[in-house]
Amino acid sequence: MALRDVLLSIVQTPHRLRRRALVTWTPAQELNEVRDRSGARMKRRLEWYDLVGLGVGGMLGAGVFVTTGTVARDTAGPAVFASYVIAGVSALLSSFCYAEFSVRVPVAGGAFSYLRVTFGEFVGFFGGANILMEYVLSNAAVARSFTDYLASTFGVTEPNAWRIVVAGIAEGYNALDVPAVALILLITVCLCYSTKESSMLNMVLTVFHLLFFAFIIVAGLWNGSASNLVRPHGLAPYGVRGVLDGAAIVYFSYIGYDSACTMAEEIRDPARALPVGIAGSVLIVSALYFLMSIALCVMLPYTEISETAPFSSAFREKVGWRWASSVVGAGASIGIVASLLVAMLGQARYLCVIARARLVPSWLAKVHPSTGTPMNATIFLGFCTASLALFTELQIVFEMISIGTLLVFYLVANALIYHRYVKVGVNRPLHVLLFLMLLTLSSLGFSLSRKINGWCRWGMALFGVISIAITTIFHCTARQDVAGPPSEWSVPLMPWPAAASVFLNVFLITTLKLMSYQRFGIWSLVIIVFYVCYGVHSTYSAEENEIVNAMIHHANLDIS
């Protein structure tokens, strides 16, 4: 590009932002015109049980084996099971929102596509970039935990025994994890080959993983003591605040169910399979997390729980079953492989659809004609994930992952309300936007009241009642006309499930620490700068070229 063109683009940035930031696409355009930019189409080979397997496999490995030990020890105490219940309810409500959108817009873009067809290009890109950040960071963290559990399978208890510690590099970044990198690269190769075969591999791994879960739950409860739930400082030694703070952190454990949405282009019957796969997997995993966290806390007091490989350590040191420690290590390793497999499937499809929208280089949108997979996006993100897994410690990324995920789920819940009540043309946008703003403010007031001494009880009660009243008034005054055929699945009792999702996501976001907001603020600035400097110009130029080409095509038709 010539210097003159660059300068012209810079001068026109405000005009192009006005033209592009709020532009929306219809579901029909996403399904046809935009999808065709990938060239070959993804192959429809998945059934509803594939989605359940992908959802369960995607969540199990990432969650209970990585977050439970640290949250029980440092944040919630034995009441960590209550943290999982709160996070599970929030995830279930969010999964309903995702399920309805995935039925109406069955493309691989997930939250990016849902936000783009509702609130416009910029909001869609902001949400999609955050989901990508969450995927890459969480996959890097989970891959490093694979090394811990694989080492425990062979009786190695030193946390960095299988890592290369390099002097001169900052603490938290100086333990190079070669096994994690090797695992990510191996999975990347598998995902480039075939989605269906990857799903079958995940199903086999998940079945074995569920058997290990059953063993851990039964053995843990059998060898544990209920007295450990209240020793040494009670069931909730960090108070209700600790339980709520823990819920925001363990929300990391539910990353994975939205991967099922990104499989929408590869499902034979999206309207039937997507709601079952998304919501069903969340319910199954929530029950397992609840039982697993109780099993861990009854085996030993929360103060003795190991931060690395807590389940293996509990069997080895407290119960005295060294062989069981190896079994747990093997089971956790299998679960983590399944989790990575699903999450890396999802992250590649997110990037593929963002590239279709021309917000990142379009070569990332290409689907390989023989394998039917987004090979370029898979390889690129596999390399990024492996690079982070090589040196970044788990605790550095946990809370940043949670805040990005919670924000995107908050946006999707808002988008569903707006799409249900406005996009079909039966309500004025201002009426719905006012409701969403008041609901967010009342949710924020409820959450902040908990942090102010003396205001806690009456402030939470006041803002809780206001949130219910606002939703009730909106429910009674807004007309609802569900778009689409009656056979399509939709969230029942709207707007209550989506409003509750908004409320819970706002609440959980406010429980995170200041460092999470600082890191998230830096990442948000990077997203905005990238959109202003690249995304808006790329999409604007592509739109202008399409208009010119269409005019030339019509002119040629007129001449002929």
Side-chain angles (χ1 to χ4, degrees):
M1 182 181 289
L3 178 61
R4 178 178 176 276
D5 294 332
V6 174
L7 294 175
L8 180 62
S9 297
I10 294 173
V11 172
Q12 291 184 343
T13 297
H15 166 70
R16 295 183 177 187
L17 274 172
R18 288 193 297 271
R19 285 283 302 273
R20 297 301 308 169
L22 297 178
V23 68
T24 60
W25 291 76
T26 66
Q29 288 174 313
E30 288 282 345
L31 288 169
N32 298 292
E33 180 181 343
V34 176
R35 185 164 61 174
D36 289 341
R37 293 174 185 169
S38 288
R41 293 201 170 189
M42 300 181 193
K43 298 178 180 178
R44 293 190 179 274
R45 302 178 61 192
L46 302 181
E47 303 289 351
W48 66 269
Y49 50 82
D50 290 300
L51 287 188
V52 173
L54 288 168
V56 172
M59 286 182 277
L60 286 183
V64 72
F65 291 118
V66 178
T67 59
T68 307
T70 55
V71 173
R73 179 181 176 124
D74 302 326
T75 308
V80 63
F81 67 87
S83 297
Y84 273 114
V85 171
I86 295 169
V89 170
S90 182
L92 183 62
L93 292 170
S94 294
S95 74
F96 287 158
C97 300
Y98 266 81
E100 178 169 329
F101 261 127
S102 65
V103 170
R104 300 190 183 287
V105 193
V107 294
F112 167 74
S113 296
Y114 310 153
L115 294 174
R116 195 164 80 113
V117 300
T118 307
F119 291 137
E121 183 176 277
F122 173 71
V123 176
F125 179 67
F126 187 81
N130 270 292
I131 283 289
L132 273 181
M133 177 270 294
E134 163 253 303
Y135 267 118
V136 172
L137 289 180
S138 64
N139 289 342
V142 171
R144 289 183 69 91
S145 70
F146 169 81
T147 303
D148 293 330
Y149 274 101
L150 187 63
S152 71
T153 303
F154 295 93
V156 179
T157 59
E158 171 61 35
N160 289 323
W162 286 16
R163 299 188 179 104
I164 303 172
V165 180
V166 180
I169 301 178
E171 185 72 23
Y173 301 91
N174 61 340
L176 305 186
D177 198 325
V178 177
V181 172
L183 175 64
I184 289 170
L185 295 180
L186 179 62
I187 291 175
T188 299
V189 173
C190 293
L191 296 180
C192 288
Y193 175 68
S194 170
T195 301
K196 181 62 178 179
E197 278 66 26
S198 298
S199 174
M200 292 173 62
L201 174 60
N202 169 75
M203 194 71 72
V204 172
L205 293 174
T206 300
V207 169
F208 278 105
H209 197 204
L210 289 173
L211 294 175
F212 282 113
F213 263 59
F215 167 77
I216 292 171
I217 292 169
V218 173
L221 294 175
W222 180 265
N223 289 281
S225 171
S227 62
N228 286 329
L229 290 175
V230 294
R231 288 194 310 171
H233 303 113
L235 181 64
Y238 301 99
V240 175
R241 176 170 295 183
V243 173
L244 297 174
D245 290 347
I249 298 173
V250 301
Y251 208 91
F252 168 85
S253 308
Y254 291 91
I255 293 171
Y257 77 78
D258 58 319
S259 295
C261 301
T262 66
M263 302 291 111
E265 290 183 29
E266 298 160 86
I267 300 168
R268 289 200 172 101
D269 185 5
R272 174 173 171 263
L274 283 164
V276 174
I278 296 170
S281 60
V282 172
L283 286 171
I284 293 170
V285 169
S286 296
L288 290 171
Y289 282 166
F290 176 82
L291 294 172
M292 286 284 285
S293 57
I294 289 180
L296 176 64
C297 291
V298 299
M299 277 195 286
L300 69 173
Y302 75 96
T303 53
E304 299 177 20
I305 295 175
S306 172
E307 293 186 7
T308 59
F311 287 92
S312 293
S313 299
F315 278 109
R316 180 178 59 252
E317 297 172 8
K318 189 66 178 179
V319 179
W321 291 5
R322 298 191 66 85
W323 62 269
S325 173
S326 298
V327 170
V328 172
S333 301
I334 291 173
I336 287 170
V337 173
S339 173
L340 279 174
L341 187 72
V342 176
M344 291 176 67
L345 270 172
Q347 71 180 16
R349 281 145 186 80
Y350 265 112
L351 184 59
C352 173
V353 176
I354 293 174
R356 286 178 186 171
R358 301 180 174 121
L359 291 163
V360 295
S362 57
W363 65 272
L364 291 167
K366 297 302 178 185
V367 173
H368 197 278
S370 61
T371 64
T373 61
M375 188 174 291
N376 292 346
T378 301
I379 294 172
F380 174 76
L381 288 177
F383 175 78
C384 293
T385 305
S387 300
L388 282 173
L390 180 63
F391 61 85
T392 309
E393 292 289 353
L394 289 173
Q395 292 302 321
I396 294 173
V397 299
F398 269 168
E399 291 193 355
M400 187 172 174
I401 293 168
S402 291
I403 193 171
T405 306
L406 289 165
L407 179 64
V408 172
F409 290 173
Y410 161 80
L411 290 173
V412 170
N414 279 273
L416 179 62
I417 294 173
Y418 189 87
H419 194 274
R420 178 77 80 89
Y421 288 90
V422 174
K423 294 296 282 185
V424 294
V426 296
N427 293 281
R428 290 178 299 174
L430 182 60
H431 178 66
V432 180
L433 289 173
L434 180 62
F435 164 66
L436 294 175
M437 182 186 70
L438 292 176
L439 177 62
T440 297
L441 290 176
S442 61
S443 304
L444 191 61
F446 178 91
S447 304
L448 294 180
S449 296
R450 187 177 65 90
K451 296 179 176 291
I452 302 175
N453 292 331
W455 289 25
C456 180
R457 292 182 179 178
W458 72 263
M460 293 175 70
L462 174 64
F463 286 109
V465 170
I466 290 174
S467 298
I468 295 172
I470 291 170
T471 307
T472 302
I473 293 170
F474 180 76
H475 178 69
C476 295
T477 58
R479 292 177 56 203
Q480 182 178 181
D481 184 11
V482 180
S487 60
E488 288 189 348
W489 188 87
S490 59
V491 179
L493 305 176
M494 281 288 287
W496 291 98
S501 179
V502 169
F503 185 91
L504 283 174
N505 283 315
V506 170
F507 181 79
L508 292 175
I509 287 173
T510 61
T511 64
L512 296 173
K513 296 177 182 177
L514 179 62
M515 184 65 73
S516 301
Y517 291 95
Q518 293 172 342
R519 290 171 177 165
F520 179 73
I522 294 171
W523 174 245
S524 297
L525 182 62
V526 171
I527 294 173
I528 294 170
V529 170
F530 183 88
Y531 177 76
V532 172
C533 294
Y534 178 86
V536 70
H537 298 291
S538 176
T539 57
Y540 182 87
S541 300
E543 179 192 41
E544 294 298 312
N545 290 335
E546 286 179 353
I547 293 173
V548 171
N549 291 336
M551 292 174 63
I552 293 173
H553 177 70
H554 288 304
N556 291 335
L557 291 177
D558 292 339
I559 293 173
S560 60

